[in-house]
Amino acid sequence: MPLIAPSLLSANFLRLEDECKMLNESEADWFHLDVMDGRFVPNISFGLPVIAQIRKSTSKICDVHLMILEPEKFTEEFKEAGADILTVHIEACPHLHRNIEQIKSLGMQAGVAINPHTPVSFLKDILHDIDLVCMMSVNAGFGGQAFIPHTLEKIKELRKMIDEKQLSVKIEIDGGVTVGNAQSIVDAGADVLVAGNTVFGSIMPKEVIARLKQVSKNHE
Ligand code: DX5
Ligand code: ZN
């Protein structure tokens, strides 16, 4: 079974407490929290105070996806706000290894996100230092976009690389995940499914989460 990480970017922020309660009662494994700075990506979302409040509402894993430049300036603050996993973008980090060391030294799990145009091979020399690869299957910045089909090839390539090195790095797929394409994404080798619009756009979000969770994982 894949891990399911609903993205709160598509939640109703006027009813955030109820949305968190719904996720707590659901089969969701992680809370996926998207932070955007209007510089690395052409959108601004939410930041530290919102994450600190969400942290108080759940004991599930808070998976924070930073789509910001210079994430090293805020790593400690995100730890204090309650992040369990902190993911930075390879395209935003010229000294990525230093970023990863900083995240791990603060006791968080470290993730690296790659945009759709970034080759999987760019992860080769950082893979053994990280816990998670967040593979973008849309262009980062907005919820509700369509899944880019070529991502399936990239997932297979990364799965092979991780298995050959006998690592336990998780592959998380972020963007355009639906009940209809989840099986093909998991079949390609994904471990974690992020879903924003698919979950929060539904009138039965818990049922949608349960259906995503039911996808069988054959590559284990
Ligand atoms: C996009 C974010 C995603 C987004 C996914 O930049 O990283 O996490 O919320 O939303 P959906 O599932 O609607 O594509
Ligand atoms: Zn995300």
Side-chain angles (χ1 to χ4, degrees), residues 53-87:
Q53 293 299 323
I54 292 172
R55 169 78 287 168
K56 287 185 205 159
S57 78
T58 188
S59 55
K60 296 196 184 195
I61 287 174
C62 286
D63 167 37
V64 177
H65 177 193
L66 297 183
M67 284 160 274
I68 66 173
L69 297 178
E70 302 179 309
E72 59 278 359
K73 288 186 178 170
F74 298 100
T75 308
E76 280 190 53
E77 282 89 341
F78 281 107
K79 168 69 185 175
E80 281 163 23
D84 298 299
I85 305 171
L86 198 63
T87 296

Side-chain angles (χ1 to χ4, degrees), residues 32 34 65 67 174:
H32 185 83
D34 290 299
H65 177 193
M67 284 160 274
D174 189 2

Side-chain angles (χ1 to χ4, degrees), residues 68-120:
I68 66 173
L69 297 178
E70 302 179 309
E72 59 278 359
K73 288 186 178 170
F74 298 100
T75 308
E76 280 190 53
E77 282 89 341
F78 281 107
K79 168 69 185 175
E80 281 163 23
D84 298 299
I85 305 171
L86 198 63
T87 296
V88 294
H89 264 265
I90 195 170
E91 302 87 1
C93 298
H95 304 288
L96 182 63
H97 186 271
R98 181 180 289 148
N99 291 87
I100 297 304
E101 291 298 302
Q102 185 193 25
I103 293 167
K104 291 197 296 189
S105 73
L106 291 164
M108 293 179 283
Q109 291 189 51
V112 171
I114 61 169
N115 281 333
H117 74 281
T118 299
V120 165

Side-chain angles (χ1 to χ4, degrees), residues 7 9-10 32 34 36 65 67 136 138-145 174-177 194-198:
S7 165
L9 187 64
S10 297
H32 185 83
D34 290 299
M36 305 179 185
H65 177 193
M67 284 160 274
M136 295 306 302
V138 297
N139 283 294
F142 302 92
Q145 302 179 80
D174 189 2
V177 174
V194 174
N197 190 53
T198 291

